[in-house]
Amino acid sequence: MAQELDTRTRGRTARGRLRALDAYLCQFEAPLLTRDDGPWARAAFVDVGFGEHPWTTLESATAFRALNPELSVVGVELDPERATAAARNHADARTHFREGGFALPLSPDEPVRLVRAMNLLRQGPPERIPEAHRAMSRHLLPGGLLVEGSSDTDGAVLVAHLLRRTPDAEAPTREGLLFHTDFSRGFAPLLLRDWLPRDLRRRVRPGDPMHAFFQAWEAAWKAARAEGHTAPADAFAESAVRLARMTPGVATDAWLLTRGCLRWSPPGGTPA
């Protein structure tokens, strides 16, 4: 079963750890978060593996409800005591907490618009990750999004898959990768490489698309620094612009670059 991929009790999750990801989703997935026709009117946001306390679930609920005040939110946690405590202390008419794993504890009549599963798949066999992706996307409406990836403990560095549910497809489409840094640890592309999702972390080797991507980004970063862009935020933004000239699918939206975000949506999808 997919939910057996992670049988260990999850650790603590710091407040604000996923705030940058929330901001990205509010900026670029607002139509998804606000859609209200047909089953979308009751489609939920599901946060998988909220940990000891549901701080990130509640923070996301606040951010997303600024766009959609009626949004239903479901926090899922494998540990039954944590799920019960969260339900007892934080549940309300629009916010629910349930015990469960990657096979989400939802009924067939509970549609989903967005699933987030951060820092859950850093262990275990990489070959079983597609199974987890399929399980977590099963309740998504067509066009719904699964976000899965890794961050450091306070969210200073983050990399996540953007996986889109398409009609009649069993597995979600590997639409892109989102990279983020807040520059508190400086900046170099290899800093982000270390936080790639589990299924890509071993793929940064010669001949692999991820290796080519990071080689190009490293070259762009070094060229930017050589021309005087040495401050971390400046080097990041300039390297992203240079990378986009060499690498199809790199977004150079000003909102992204000024917030330490880079999105890569290569033709044909991210490496599988």
Side-chain angles (χ1 to χ4, degrees):
M1 294 292 292
Q3 64 196 85
E4 294 172 355
L5 277 168
D6 186 21
T7 57
R8 301 182 307 165
T9 300
R10 303 311 305 172
R12 298 180 179 180
T13 297
R15 295 176 187 265
R17 185 178 188 179
L18 302 177
R19 192 166 295 154
L21 181 55
D22 289 344
Y24 168 84
L25 292 168
C26 287
Q27 178 70 18
F28 290 96
E29 296 292 341
L32 176 72
L33 291 168
T34 58
R35 187 171 174 180
D36 62 359
D37 56 298
W40 290 92
R42 50 194 177 83
F45 157 58
V46 179
D47 189 26
V48 187
F50 55 76
E52 186 177 14
H53 299 291
W55 306 137
T56 54
T57 305
L58 297 171
E59 289 171 350
S60 297
T62 297
F64 299 158
R65 285 175 181 154
L67 298 175
N68 182 355
E70 301 304 315
L71 180 66
S72 176
V73 173
V74 180
V76 174
E77 171 56 44
L78 196 61
D79 186 294
E81 293 184 3
R82 292 177 177 181
T84 299
R88 181 175 61 248
N89 296 323
H90 301 288
D92 58 34
R94 296 172 299 153
T95 310
H96 313 279
F97 296 94
R98 299 174 187 174
E99 176 188 351
F102 299 143
L104 304 180
L106 300 170
S107 66
D109 64 346
E110 290 182 292
V112 176
R113 66 182 75 222
L114 171 65
V115 175
R116 184 179 67 198
M118 293 296 294
N119 303 301
L120 296 185
L121 295 173
R122 290 191 62 78
Q123 307 297 328
E127 61 271 16
R128 295 193 64 187
I129 288 176
E131 179 187 353
H133 287 168
R134 287 193 298 271
M136 289 188 289
S137 65
R138 205 158 283 147
H139 290 269
L140 285 171
L141 293 169
L145 185 69
L146 167 62
V147 180
E148 183 274 309
S150 302
S151 73
D152 65 357
T153 54
D154 56 4
V157 184
L158 177 151
V159 187
H161 278 300
L162 304 174
L163 303 153
R164 189 79 59 178
R165 180 71 187 272
T166 55
D168 304 319
E170 181 182 355
T173 298
R174 298 169 71 91
E175 185 172 273
L177 285 170
L178 178 69
F179 301 84
H180 166 72
T181 176
D182 68 0
F183 308 114
S184 62
R185 287 157 174 71
F187 171 67
L190 295 188
L191 175 70
L192 291 156
R193 182 194 66 180
D194 293 340
W195 291 95
L196 282 168
R198 172 72 169 166
D199 59 337
L200 295 178
R201 211 174 316 140
R202 295 181 181 178
R203 303 289 300 278
V204 189
R205 55 195 177 198
D208 187 274
M210 289 308 307
H211 183 266
F213 174 81
F214 275 103
Q215 272 201 319
W217 199 354
E218 188 83 0
W221 172 68
K222 289 179 179 178
R225 287 176 57 83
E227 291 196 2
H229 302 280
T230 55
D234 190 24
F236 174 88
E238 180 64 21
S239 71
V241 171
R242 290 168 179 264
L243 177 64
R245 296 176 190 146
M246 302 182 283
T247 306
V250 173
T252 56
D253 183 281
W255 189 98
L256 292 168
L257 300 189
T258 57
R259 289 164 175 80
C261 294
L262 183 144
R263 187 180 65 236
W264 182 41
S265 303
T270 50

PDB file of all heavy atoms in Angstrom, residues 14 203 228 251:
ATOM      1  N   ALA A  14       7.690  23.469  11.990  1.00  0.00           N
ATOM      2  CA  ALA A  14       7.779  24.823  12.522  1.00  0.00           C
ATOM      3  C   ALA A  14       6.705  25.713  11.912  1.00  0.00           C
ATOM      4  O   ALA A  14       6.320  25.557  10.751  1.00  0.00           O
ATOM      5  CB  ALA A  14       9.161  25.393  12.237  1.00  0.00           C
ATOM      6  N   ARG A 203      19.049  11.493  -9.238  1.00  0.00           N
ATOM      7  CA  ARG A 203      19.062  11.625 -10.694  1.00  0.00           C
ATOM      8  C   ARG A 203      20.003  12.736 -11.168  1.00  0.00           C
ATOM      9  O   ARG A 203      20.059  13.022 -12.359  1.00  0.00           O
ATOM     10  CB  ARG A 203      17.640  11.922 -11.192  1.00  0.00           C
ATOM     11  CG  ARG A 203      16.598  10.884 -10.788  1.00  0.00           C
ATOM     12  CD  ARG A 203      16.793   9.586 -11.538  1.00  0.00           C
ATOM     13  NE  ARG A 203      16.682   9.789 -12.969  1.00  0.00           N
ATOM     14  CZ  ARG A 203      15.510   9.839 -13.621  1.00  0.00           C
ATOM     15  NH1 ARG A 203      14.375   9.704 -12.961  1.00  0.00           N
ATOM     16  NH2 ARG A 203      15.481  10.008 -14.920  1.00  0.00           N
ATOM     17  N   GLY A 228      29.306  40.916 -11.446  1.00  0.00           N
ATOM     18  CA  GLY A 228      29.054  41.795 -10.308  1.00  0.00           C
ATOM     19  C   GLY A 228      27.781  41.536  -9.532  1.00  0.00           C
ATOM     20  O   GLY A 228      27.494  42.247  -8.565  1.00  0.00           O
ATOM     21  N   ALA A 251      10.560  29.835 -15.871  1.00  0.00           N
ATOM     22  CA  ALA A 251       9.738  31.044 -15.770  1.00  0.00           C
ATOM     23  C   ALA A 251      10.565  32.191 -15.202  1.00  0.00           C
ATOM     24  O   ALA A 251      11.335  31.993 -14.248  1.00  0.00           O
ATOM     25  CB  ALA A 251       8.528  30.786 -14.886  1.00  0.00           C
TER      26      ALA A 251
END
